[in-house]
Amino acid sequence: QYPEGRVSDVLVIPAGRPILLTLNSQDVIHSFWVPAFRNKRDAVPGRYNQTWFEAQWDDAKATTGLELTPVGAGPDDPKTTFEWPAIAYDLYCTEYCGTKHSWMRSSAVVLRPEDFAE
């Protein structure tokens, strides 16, 4: 959930800006991990944890028309498509959190700051 209230299955962030992420959990311990950011932090029920990171822009990794399929989506479910050049990094839960733990994955999508603002 973003500060203005928008909720998304994908973490979308601007490149080159420090990002403060506040984590909590509604059920069990989870762990936020984006290997490319070298950042891992637990989300604990009844507690707020914070982590800082900064994603860099790399033209060689950018893809125009990036299309992401949500975890567990069927063939007819909508995909998330980005109109601007974007870089997608794997995002995982690294704390065994139950029988659906393997479904606890997503993407961290990095946009150029001007595209993120739009």
Side-chain angles (χ1 to χ4, degrees), residues 30-91:
H30 296 281
S31 191
F32 169 87
W33 183 43
V34 180
F37 299 166
R38 292 164 179 77
N39 188 302
K40 181 179 167 191
R41 189 73 172 162
D42 287 345
V44 180
R47 182 172 172 186
Y48 292 94
N49 281 341
Q50 294 184 319
T51 186
W52 285 93
F53 57 90
E54 185 173 325
Q56 300 303 312
W57 185 257
D58 184 347
D59 283 325
K61 293 181 181 178
T63 303
T64 302
L66 177 66
E67 190 174 82
L68 299 172
T69 302
V71 173
D76 298 327
D77 289 335
K79 295 177 175 27
T80 302
T81 305
F82 292 86
E83 301 171 21
W84 311 279
I87 305 169
Y89 295 101
D90 294 328
L91 187 159

Side-chain angles (χ1 to χ4, degrees), residues 1 11 15 23 27 33 40 46 52 60 63 80 85 92 95 115:
Q1 181 173 339
L11 177 64
L23 304 167
D27 48 16
W33 183 43
K40 181 179 167 191
W52 285 93
T63 303
T80 302
Y92 302 100
E95 181 71 33
D115 295 333

